[in-house]
Amino acid sequence: MGYVKARLNQAAISDIHLGNDNVPTQDICDRLRQAFPANKRLAELDIIWIPGDVFDRLHMASSNDIAVAKIWICDFLRACKACNVRVRVMEGTPLHDR
């Protein structure tokens, strides 16, 4: 009995820390859009891992950082769905990802 060795094309985004005081959330989201544009390169991936620490700390739902982050998250997930890329988000440090 044999097996098939399949190649898994994957990427990881970790320690994003949206909403931190040192780098504006808009700048982080712009860089993430550049790193993962909805194009042929994204479509070559099978899965993107996000192993925690998406946010830097607890934020109020009405904060501007959360609004900017929501737009990026929605755009990112739509692009991944259109390119048939799975996304797996793992819980990060409780101090960051509550």
Side-chain angles (χ1 to χ4, degrees):
M1 184 156 112
Y3 67 92
V4 176
K5 184 175 180 180
R7 181 180 174 152
L8 184 66
N9 292 320
Q10 55 188 327
I13 311 169
S14 66
D15 295 298
I16 300 170
H17 292 280
L18 296 171
N20 75 61
D21 293 329
N22 297 319
V23 181
T25 296
Q26 185 66 58
D27 289 353
I28 295 170
C29 290
D30 290 344
R31 291 177 189 169
L32 287 166
R33 279 187 184 88
Q34 290 173 356
F36 295 95
N39 62 18
K40 184 180 176 185
R41 263 185 74 205
L42 181 65
E44 291 174 354
L45 293 172
D46 297 306
I47 189 166
I48 297 175
W49 301 93
I50 304 177
D53 292 357
V54 174
F55 291 94
D56 194 62
R57 64 184 184 283
L58 181 63
H59 291 274
M60 300 302 292
S62 61
S63 86
N64 187 52
D65 284 336
I66 293 300
V68 170
K70 281 183 178 181
I71 292 168
W72 172 73
I73 291 167
C74 288
D75 290 346
F76 176 71
L77 292 175
R78 277 190 209 102
C80 289
K81 182 176 181 176
C83 293
N84 198 30
V85 177
R86 291 183 173 98
V87 176
R88 294 294 179 260
V89 181
M90 293 161 273
E91 184 177 353
T93 309
L95 178 64
H96 301 296
D97 295 337
R98 297 177 187 227

